Amino acid sequence: MDTLQLLASNRSFGGWHRRYQHESEVNGCTMMTFAVFMPPQASESNRVPVLYWLSGLTCTDENFMQKAGAQRIAAELGIAIVAPDTSPRGEGVANDEGYDLGQGAGFYVNATQAPWDRHYRMYDYVTSELPALIEANFPVNTRRSIAGHSMGGHGALVCALKNPDRYLSASAFSPISHPSQTPWGQKAFTAYLGDNQEDWVGYDASLLLRKVKGTDARMPVLVSQGLADEFLQEQLQPEALQEAAKAVDYPVTLELHEHYDHSYYFIASFIEQHLRFHSRVLHQSQ
């Protein structure tokens, strides 16, 4: 725990919600923040599985933990939840005036273009550095799942599809499903990865799905999308993900919900379903 600075601690449903700050070697900064909910079942003799949650544009680790209402069900199911920040932050970390680029908008990629390449390596942070830190310092096991919302839904799907050996299941609320063909994704990918769109393929869930071969490992994926979402057609394009999944017979379940929008009211309405979806896999006999 010497590498972690405790920022806050709150009792919740018999478990603990805590926020930490630490120095990130991957992102080259001293202000990486994450939150963790540890359920009451967790102990050194009973290490619990982990759901990693990736948040969306302009969010931090706090949005999900404060608004989704996930702790009650996570406590019942015996699942830890880890929610990292959406980007590196701090003095010297590149930023942009727009809300959809820079701090708060890391897009869970490893940037290759200056000035972003110095700090913005959120893909490596989420898939490697953060899990190693969590597993070294908390009573968790190596059974992991991943989920997210909007930009974080994009990140969760990409991390899962690129690492089927690291995650047992994936889910997303309102994900940016085909970012190489949407304004948010095109802006971020051009800045972080450059103009060559071949370099974008590895961070587009719909394109990654189409590359899955018949013998490749697969995991269950659940996607929830509100039909009253103001970003649905221009930015999210769930139909591209659905078509790609059908093309390669990948187990993606897309659920469309009438009248629901892009907000945390939507997430709070269906977070129990998502947690139980992950629990069925995370608690399967090894």
Side-chain angles (χ1 to χ4, degrees):
M1 286 284 189
D2 291 343
T3 61
L4 300 177
Q5 177 187 355
L6 180 64
L7 302 178
S9 180
N10 305 94
R11 192 71 163 162
S12 181
F13 293 99
W16 288 96
H17 164 266
R18 292 187 170 104
R19 297 184 71 224
Y20 295 91
Q21 189 173 93
H22 70 103
E23 183 173 351
S24 169
E25 181 178 349
V26 164
N27 285 317
C29 69
T30 59
M31 293 183 62
M32 284 307 302
T33 304
F34 68 88
V36 57
F37 173 72
M38 200 59 56
Q41 299 90 335
S43 68
E44 286 302 321
S45 61
N46 183 43
R47 291 178 170 262
V48 297
V50 183
L51 175 68
Y52 288 87
W53 174 270
L54 307 184
S55 290
L57 288 168
T58 75
C59 292
T60 68
D61 60 285
E62 294 186 282
N63 297 74
F64 176 79
M65 291 299 199
Q66 293 181 2
K67 296 180 179 181
Q71 290 89 341
R72 178 178 65 85
I73 303 303
E76 174 193 328
L77 298 174
I79 297 173
I81 301 176
V82 174
D85 201 349
T86 50
S87 76
R89 301 180 195 262
E91 185 177 352
V93 175
N95 201 8
D96 187 85
E97 292 183 356
Y99 74 94
D100 51 357
L101 188 68
Q103 295 185 33
F107 265 83
Y108 306 102
V109 304
N110 286 340
T112 60
Q113 305 298 302
W116 314 103
D117 56 340
R118 182 180 174 191
H119 296 290
Y120 284 74
R121 301 189 63 82
M122 287 298 292
Y123 172 79
D124 280 353
Y125 178 73
V126 167
T127 60
S128 298
E129 186 178 44
L130 181 60
L133 187 69
I134 296 297
E135 288 162 17
N137 289 285
F138 296 91
V140 301
N141 57 41
T142 58
R143 296 180 69 80
R144 315 174 196 94
S145 292
I146 191 164
H149 171 233
S150 194
M151 178 187 72
H154 138 77
L157 294 174
V158 166
C159 290
L161 290 170
K162 290 168 73 74
N163 298 276
D165 58 329
R166 294 188 64 82
Y167 303 103
L168 297 175
S169 56
S171 74
F173 289 86
S174 316
I176 307 173
S177 297
H178 198 13
S180 64
Q181 299 300 314
T182 67
W184 279 340
Q186 290 169 346
K187 179 179 180 178
F189 286 2
T190 300
Y192 295 145
L193 305 174
D195 293 326
N196 185 356
Q197 296 191 16
E198 290 298 316
D199 296 331
W200 302 2
V201 173
Y203 296 107
D204 185 311
S206 295
L207 298 180
L208 285 171
L209 268 177
R210 291 191 176 276
K211 290 181 172 291
V212 172
K213 308 298 183 186
T215 58
D216 290 343
R218 294 150 191 260
M219 71 187 73
V221 176
L222 172 63
V223 176
S224 295
Q225 176 63 59
L227 291 177
D229 192 318
E230 62 270 39
F231 305 114
L232 178 57
Q233 296 304 321
E234 183 179 34
Q235 302 284 10
L236 306 181
Q237 300 187 13
E239 66 280 356
L241 188 75
Q242 187 176 45
E243 291 169 4
K246 287 182 178 179
V248 297
D249 195 27
Y250 202 98
V252 175
T253 299
L254 172 63
E255 295 189 350
L256 304 176
H257 298 279
E258 192 173 2
H259 305 305
Y260 284 91
D261 58 20
H262 200 71
S263 72
Y264 266 85
Y265 293 106
F266 176 42
I267 296 171
S269 297
F270 295 98
I271 191 62
E272 179 173 350
Q273 177 196 12
H274 280 239
L275 287 171
R276 292 190 185 283
F277 162 80
H278 291 294
S279 179
R280 287 192 290 271
V281 179
L282 289 170
H283 287 301
Q284 281 180 354
S285 299
Q286 300 184 45

